[in-house]
Amino acid sequence: MRLLVTGGAGFIGSAFVRLALRESWAARLVNLDKLTYAGNLENLVSIESDGRHRFVHGDICDAQLVLTLLEKEKPDAIVHFAAESHVDRSILGPAAFVETNVRGTFSLLEAARAARLPRFLHVSTDEVYGSIDEPHDADENYPLRASSPYSASKAGSDLLALSYWTTFKLPVTVTRASNNYGPCQFPEKLIPLMISNALEDKPLPIYGDGMQVRDWLYVDDHCRAIWAALTKGAPGEIYNVGGSRALPNRTVVEMILAATGKPRGLITTVADRPGHDRRYAITTEKLERATGWQALVPFEQGLAQTIQWYKDNPAWIARVRSGEYQSYYDRNYAGR
Ligand code: NAD
Ligand code: DAU
């Protein structure tokens, strides 16, 4: 396939780009990324000499750029990862979330419609369902009850994308994944933040009582699910993607401390996140039935691999934590 990937310098997008080239899913892969604070060309060093890959530095909101790329490259599909992706940042400043996640998705959909693109895979999140009370798990028909500006902007973009199938028959498929973890994740999210702080004996800030539940999905399992949904899923359909490993945050943090040999005394309780969703839980049967996909990496194994990656890459951590990161960290955690 010839692919246009958006956000392919970020955490999940770069994992998808590396895998798509390694597995020869893509004969040609154009990677459009704005390189925000979360975009990092270091995530792509292992494929930088691969002639099938072309990196384009640009904004998905730039409709003319997107249309020109579609006309010139004639991809078979767009795989759309580009987004503002961090809930805490959406609380500190929601504007960029509406701009990229809603208007950026609209710009891609319009260009795709004009170019009669054969396939559009919109990468979304289980956060659109909001907090889910036990004993329920959300299937794809569960109501959308987004809590944060981030998840609301993703829910908006999901509905917009699906409307392009219903109204214009643009073949759009939506995936909604649970919490990803793995190498190259920006250390603002729970797992990389706790690993990188633990490695430097810094406090590990748990929001509230730490009993909020998240379902953990290894990033390569997510990327394989996206490929399965793109190639074996149906247009107009939504597919949940879960790791079938739900854990309270406190347990995850304790596992990180045990694996890094650091003391529990590093844990600090800080004020809770406003609007904090208590529990995420989804079913993944629809994707499994339709495509045969299954999550392959058990959490203990994926976590050990991830910790090892952060141990092996102190320079990557130091670079992404310089500059803007410190001011974000102070804004989010100081006085909490
Ligand atoms: P990330 O923040 O690590 O990366 C986002 C990438 O998008 C960066 O490379 C950034 O430079 C790029 N980008 C941002 N705005 C852009 C714009 N206007 N134009 C072009 N590029 C732009 O995000 P991630 O964690 O890799 O998430 C990727 C996608 O997966 C997002 O759509 C997110 O909502 C979704 N998702 C993430 C998770 C998770 O746990 N991280 C789970 C489910 C779904
Ligand atoms: O569910 C999928 C979503 O998972 C994705 O759509 C988002 O892009 C991704 O950021 C993630 O959202 P969460 O809000 O669940 O992830 P985060 O890593 O920010 O937080 C996970 C849990 O850990 C959440 O309950 C908040 C808590 N937390 C987080 C941080 C950063 C803490 O207790 N302390 C922290 O410092």
Side-chain angles (χ1 to χ4, degrees):
M1 265 205 201
R2 296 172 67 85
L3 298 178
L4 173 59
V5 171
T6 71
F11 163 50
I12 307 171
S14 68
F16 182 86
V17 169
R18 294 191 301 269
L19 208 55
L21 295 172
R22 191 182 339 133
E23 300 285 322
S24 295
W25 296 339
R28 170 79 168 161
L29 195 156
V30 179
N31 183 352
L32 173 61
D33 197 295
K34 187 179 173 183
L35 296 179
T36 67
Y37 77 91
N40 186 348
L41 290 176
E42 280 187 64
N43 298 345
L44 299 168
V45 278
S46 63
I47 53 99
E48 68 188 350
S49 59
D50 192 315
R52 296 169 295 174
H53 178 245
R54 174 185 169 202
F55 183 78
V56 178
H57 184 196
D59 191 330
I60 57 168
C61 298
D62 183 344
Q64 191 50 55
L65 169 66
V66 175
L67 195 54
T68 305
L69 280 177
L70 292 185
E71 282 168 354
K72 186 157 182 288
E73 296 284 348
K74 299 196 175 10
D76 300 303
I78 290 180
V79 185
H80 174 34
F81 293 95
E84 289 293 334
S85 71
H86 189 40
V87 173
D88 291 313
R89 287 187 191 253
S90 82
I91 296 167
L92 294 169
F97 289 74
V98 177
E99 178 68 6
T100 285
N101 301 359
V102 181
R103 206 169 77 79
T105 301
F106 170 63
S107 145
L108 289 172
L109 290 165
E110 275 293 276
R113 179 163 80 101
R116 297 180 190 279
L117 186 80
R119 211 61 200 268
F120 191 110
L121 192 296
H122 176 67
V123 179
S124 189
T125 167
D126 66 352
E127 291 209 24
V128 296
Y129 301 122
S131 199
I132 294 161
D133 291 334
E134 284 196 88
H136 304 289
D137 292 347
D139 66 12
E140 290 78 359
N141 297 316
Y142 204 79
L144 301 186
R145 292 206 186 97
S147 306
S148 70
Y150 162 68
S151 50
S153 69
K154 291 298 289 189
S157 65
D158 284 20
L159 294 179
L160 200 54
L162 290 165
S163 79
Y164 272 62
W165 164 250
T166 308
T167 308
F168 305 120
K169 289 293 169 271
L170 179 72
V172 171
T173 301
V174 173
T175 54
R176 290 182 178 151
S178 61
N179 286 59
N180 281 222
Y181 69 102
C184 303
Q185 187 170 25
F186 195 83
E188 62 189 357
K189 310 276 167 65
L190 181 78
I191 287 185
L193 185 140
M194 297 298 172
I195 295 173
S196 51
N197 279 15
L199 292 177
E200 293 184 9
D201 300 301
K202 291 181 174 157
L204 308 190
I206 288 191
Y207 296 164
D209 65 4
M211 294 310 288
Q212 304 85 3
V213 170
R214 296 292 183 268
D215 168 50
W216 293 100
L217 174 67
Y218 191 67
V219 64
D220 285 3
D221 278 335
H222 184 193
C223 293
R224 290 182 190 284
I226 288 167
W227 181 246
L230 179 67
T231 53
K232 298 181 187 159
E237 294 295 329
I238 302 165
Y239 298 97
N240 286 345
V241 190
S244 303
R245 193 62 195 274
L247 292 167
N249 295 334
R250 190 172 283 278
T251 304
V252 173
V253 173
E254 284 168 355
M255 289 169 78
I256 290 169
L257 287 173
T260 50
K262 300 293 181 174
R264 291 168 64 104
L266 285 180
I267 293 179
T268 44
T269 297
V270 300
D272 209 348
R273 173 187 276 173
H276 199 170
D277 286 333
R278 192 73 185 162
R279 176 175 175 266
Y280 295 148
I282 52 173
T283 61
T284 309
E285 282 84 20
K286 181 175 172 184
L287 180 71
E288 291 173 354
R289 253 186 287 112
T291 70
W293 173 87
Q294 287 207 310
L296 298 177
V297 182
F299 185 67
E300 286 73 8
Q301 180 192 325
L303 186 64
Q305 284 169 206
T306 304
I307 291 172
Q308 194 56 50
W309 188 87
Y310 283 89
K311 279 184 177 168
D312 292 344
N313 289 279
W316 185 97
I317 301 180
R319 272 193 291 276
V320 300
R321 277 165 134 198
S322 62
E324 187 272 348
Y325 181 78
Q326 202 48 55
S327 80
Y328 160 73
Y329 202 90
D330 292 344
R331 276 193 301 147
N332 195 46
Y333 293 97
R336 192 158 188 153

